[in-house]
Amino acid sequence: MGDLLERENIEIKDLSGRWIAVDAFNTLYQFLSIIRQQDGTPLRDGSGRTTSHLSGILYRMTNLLEAGAKVAFVFDGDPPSFKRETLDQRAETRSRAEEMWERAKEEGLPGFKYAQASSRLGEEMIADSKRLLDAMGIPVVQAPSEGEAQAAFMAIRGDVDLVASQDYDALLFGAPKVVRNMAVTGKRKLPGKNVYVDVMPEVISLDKELSRLGIERRQLVEIGIMCGTDYNEGLRRVGPKTALKLIREHGDLERALMARCETIESAAEIRGLFLDPPVTDDYVIETKKPDAEKILRFLCDERDFSPERVDKAVKRLQEAVKVGQSTLDKWF
DNA sequence: CCTTGGTA
DNA sequence: TACCAAGGG
C-alpha cells in the first residue's frame, strides 16, 4: 500500500494546535518491540512486569504535548470475526520467535530481532497504559471493534484532525489524514543493520491521493483487499501496483477477480467492514490537567521508574498543558 | 523509542 | 553545540 501513496514530510511542531487520534495498539506494539536493551530484554520493573510501553507513552506524549499537539488514544475492542485466522497466525509467528530468542540466548548469539518479533501486548499492559494516560490527562477512547476504524470515524466527524498509525488501514477506513513516524528524535534503526537513518514524520491525505490516482475510496479498499489486509491473504504475486492497474482496468473487485478467474473469500464482507465498520459516538475527548501525584505514585512506587526522570517529565507536561490553555484563552 | 552524560 | 554510546525499568 505504501508504494502507491505519496506522503508529505512534516515536523513535530507542525502538529501544534492539532487533535490527533492515536491508534493505541499500533503505538504500544511499536514501543514494545523497539524499547529494549541491547540483548533484547524489554524494560521491566522489579517484579518482572514489562514497562517499555509506559516509558514510550510518558516521554513521547510529553514531547508531543509540549509541541502543542492534543492527543487522544483509541484502543481496540473485539476483533472482527474475519481477523481470527490472521490473529492465530500472528500468535504462531510470535511463539516461534520466542523459541528462536531462547535458543539465541542459550548459544550466546544475537537475538534482538527474535525478541522484537515475540512482543506480546498483554491485558495488564493495556490496563497500565490506560492508567498512565488517564493520569497524564490524555483522553482514552474505547473502540467497539477496530481502533483504526474508530479513529478514522472521529476524524471524519471532525473531532480530530489526524489519525496516527504506522499502518495504512486507517486510510481504508476513511481517515482524511494519517500521520506516520510521529516520533520526535527522528532516528530509527534499520532492520537487521546497526545503522540509524533519519525518519521524518509524514502525512498522507486521503482525498489528495484518491484524486491523484483517479480512484474512489471503495476502489482503494479493493486494491487493499487484492494485496492482502488483516482480514484476508491477498492474491499471489499481486502488489499495490498490479492491483491498481487491475482495478483501473476492470472498475471493481468483482470484475477484476472474474477476469483473472480468481476468488477471495469473504471479499464483499471485508470491503463492507472497511466502508462501514462498527464505531461509536460514545466518547469524550477533552484535555485534562495531568495528575502529577498519580503519575509519580504509579510509575515510581509501582513500576520502579526513577523519580528524578519522571518528575522532570511531569514538570514539562504540566508546563505544556498550562501553555496550551493560555494559548487557547487568547483565541476565545 | 527517549533521556542522559561524556566527548570534542 | 553537536554527536555518540549507554542505559532506562
Side-chain angles (χ1 to χ4, degrees):
Chain A
M1 222 60 237
D3 296 345
L4 230 49
L5 303 167
E6 282 182 6
R7 328 123 199 288
E8 184 198 355
N9 283 337
I10 59 156
E11 293 184 52
I12 286 296
K13 63 175 193 295
D14 298 328
L15 297 172
S16 179
R18 295 283 134 90
W19 264 104
I20 302 160
V22 176
D23 176 0
F25 274 29
N26 184 272
T27 302
L28 294 180
Y29 264 116
Q30 199 91 337
F31 288 152
L32 229 48
S33 95
I34 291 163
I35 305 178
R36 286 169 184 271
Q37 324 228 60
Q38 322 214 327
D39 66 355
T41 330
L43 303 185
R44 286 202 250 258
D45 71 4
S47 338
R49 285 180 291 228
T50 301
T51 54
S52 297
H53 55 308
L54 300 177
S55 178
I57 292 172
L58 177 69
Y59 297 116
R60 184 185 287 183
M61 292 308 127
T62 297
N63 285 330
L64 221 53
L65 269 63
E66 200 168 45
K70 311 263 194 295
V71 178
F73 265 62
V74 184
F75 284 81
D76 281 16
D78 302 322
S81 56
F82 300 125
K83 211 174 180 176
R84 188 71 270 150
E85 240 173 275
T86 305
L87 293 175
D88 290 345
Q89 240 163 41
R90 285 183 192 165
E92 178 63 31
T93 308
R94 253 198 319 268
S95 45
R96 271 207 303 275
E98 249 158 43
E99 282 169 33
M100 295 296 278
W101 188 25
E102 283 307 317
R103 193 173 315 163
K105 276 194 286 194
E106 279 165 25
E107 296 172 17
L109 295 165
F112 196 95
K113 59 173 187 279
Y114 300 125
Q116 282 189 307
S118 67
S119 302
R120 223 183 76 74
L121 184 57
E123 283 304 320
E124 191 178 28
M125 296 182 201
I126 295 167
D128 275 7
S129 301
K130 290 178 177 173
R131 196 172 156 198
L132 176 58
L133 288 163
D134 187 61
M136 291 174 76
I138 295 171
V140 166
V141 175
Q142 182 60 55
S145 186
E146 297 285 48
E148 289 186 296
Q150 178 65 30
F153 173 68
M154 291 160 63
I156 291 167
R157 295 177 92 205
D159 288 333
V160 298
D161 301 294
L162 297 138
V163 174
S165 178
Q166 290 302 104
D167 286 353
Y168 296 97
D169 278 11
L171 288 165
L172 302 189
F173 283 118
K177 283 177 186 296
V178 171
V179 54
R180 305 178 74 241
N181 305 333
M182 204 179 52
V184 173
T185 42
K187 294 265 182 200
R188 180 155 314 158
K189 214 170 157 202
L190 245 42
K193 303 192 176 88
N194 209 11
V195 183
Y196 282 87
V197 288
D198 281 321
V199 182
M200 299 273 289
E202 56 192 27
V203 173
I204 303 145
S205 304
L206 180 60
D207 283 345
K208 202 165 115 195
E209 289 311 290
L210 291 180
S211 57
R212 191 177 59 78
L213 296 169
I215 56 173
E216 299 183 346
R217 181 176 34 135
R218 181 188 170 93
Q219 294 175 304
L220 185 67
V221 168
E222 293 176 334
I223 290 168
I225 292 170
M226 293 180 96
C227 303
T229 69
D230 278 359
Y231 317 109
N232 72 292
E233 273 211 8
L235 302 172
R236 280 305 126 86
R237 300 180 36 79
V238 172
K241 299 254 172 70
T242 310
L244 173 64
K245 195 166 147 252
L246 288 168
I247 287 296
R248 276 180 173 159
E249 231 168 78
H250 303 286
D252 68 26
L253 180 60
E254 279 74 12
R255 282 188 283 207
L257 289 175
M258 190 114 59
R260 287 173 62 97
C261 302
E262 289 184 280
T263 54
I264 295 173
E265 205 186 334
S266 311
E269 286 90 339
I270 294 165
R271 182 176 53 206
L273 179 69
F274 279 115
L275 294 177
D276 187 24
V279 290
T280 179
D281 58 8
D282 182 18
Y283 59 85
V284 182
I285 50 171
E286 55 184 15
T287 33
K288 283 191 304 169
K289 275 199 292 189
D291 188 330
E293 197 67 8
K294 256 192 199 164
I295 300 171
L296 272 134
R297 283 268 151 73
F298 176 39
L299 292 183
C300 305
D301 297 354
E302 296 186 46
R303 295 295 180 273
D304 301 330
F305 276 61
S306 141
E308 290 79 12
R309 284 182 173 219
V310 175
D311 196 55
K312 205 166 164 181
V314 168
K315 292 246 162 64
R316 285 172 52 210
L317 193 62
Q318 287 176 314
E319 189 58 31
V321 171
K322 214 186 292 172
V323 170
Q325 278 176 342
S326 65
T327 316
L328 212 67
D329 291 342
K330 276 184 202 156
W331 284 97
F332 297 104

